[in-house]
Amino acid sequence: MAPLIELSGITFGYPGKRVFRDVHFALEAGDRVGLIGPNGSGKTTLLKIIMGLLRPGAGQVRIFGKPRGSEKDFREVRRRIGLLFQDADDQLFCPTVRDDIAFGPLNLGKTHAEANGIVERVCALLGLEGFEGRVTYRLSGGEKKLVCLGTLLAMEPDVLLLDEPTASVDVETTARIAGILNRSSCSYLIVSHDRRFLVKTTRTMFHLKDGVLAPVTGWSPPEAPA
């Protein structure tokens, strides 16, 4: 079976700065992968290339067994892969929690009744029962992060790409996110500086530095699901 995500010979740079040179990466069904590296090494850039938000200078992006190059190619990708942004305020744009979580299902053609049912289920999964009518911008940082994760889970994705999911989040919310991921059936790639969180949620690890993406040997297996 083809990998869910396959990057081959990816080269990318910004004006005056080369970010990647000949990067290769594959995410198989069932993989739970962590990505570490110094600030500015290109971890977020890698996620954006997978989602088609940035295009490589060279190399091939294959997702779900198909080469992806044009904007049209990535429409299916964005329906089946959920991207969690670093900053929750970049992802939440509706007045209430219910509106934000229902937005994706409604755009996939769900009825309002179906979307409301999804909102209730997702809020229960996240431990946010009773938050449905809350005004999103008044939530705490950790609550916003959970709602962002909820907007992805509502779409029932095949893959999650999580960019610093525990940044500016307290210990309790971090543990809640780890538990949700460990119980999830999704394959995922997590970018994080929080190695304790990655030990709990990932099975393999990659390190990105100076344009080179390499596996980390001897990575500890995850703890039992929380």
Side-chain angles (χ1 to χ4, degrees), residues 149-169:
L149 183 57
T151 66
L152 305 185
L153 297 178
M155 300 284 286
E156 299 181 341
D158 296 299
V159 180
L160 292 172
L161 305 178
L162 307 178
D163 196 355
E164 298 290 353
T166 62
S168 303
V169 169

Side-chain angles (χ1 to χ4, degrees), residues 181-194:
L181 292 176
N182 283 326
R183 292 188 294 270
S184 171
S185 61
C186 288
S187 307
Y188 54 73
L189 171 62
I190 303 175
V191 169
S192 181
H193 290 289
D194 186 346

Side-chain angles (χ1 to χ4, degrees), residues 24-125:
H24 296 262
F25 173 76
L27 184 80
E28 307 277 353
D31 279 355
R32 299 183 168 201
V33 179
L35 177 58
I36 58 176
N39 290 334
S41 60
K43 301 184 298 296
T44 297
T45 296
L46 190 72
L47 302 186
K48 289 181 177 180
I49 287 175
I50 293 171
M51 296 298 290
L53 302 176
L54 294 173
R55 305 296 164 83
Q60 185 179 66
V61 178
R62 291 183 65 88
I63 303 180
F64 306 125
K66 300 178 182 178
R68 309 287 176 166
S70 69
E71 179 65 21
K72 182 179 179 181
D73 292 335
F74 282 97
R75 291 174 187 167
E76 178 195 10
V77 172
R78 294 169 193 156
R79 289 196 301 268
R80 297 178 61 185
I81 298 181
L83 173 62
L84 184 75
F85 298 169
Q86 283 190 38
D87 188 343
D89 289 329
D90 291 338
Q91 194 146 13
L92 301 175
F93 52 86
C94 294
T96 69
V97 170
R98 181 182 301 279
D99 294 333
D100 264 311
I101 295 177
F103 182 85
L106 288 172
N107 276 274
L108 289 180
K110 301 290 187 182
T111 67
H112 283 278
E114 290 170 333
N116 283 333
I118 292 170
V119 171
E120 301 296 331
R121 290 195 298 273
V122 168
C123 284
L125 174 67

Side-chain angles (χ1 to χ4, degrees), residues 112-147:
H112 283 278
E114 290 170 333
N116 283 333
I118 292 170
V119 171
E120 301 296 331
R121 290 195 298 273
V122 168
C123 284
L125 174 67
L126 300 173
L128 294 178
E129 300 96 330
F131 276 68
E132 294 84 355
R134 295 276 297 273
V135 177
T136 308
Y137 78 84
R138 292 181 178 173
L139 300 177
S140 70
E143 291 165 348
K144 287 181 180 179
K145 191 75 77 169
L146 286 169
V147 174

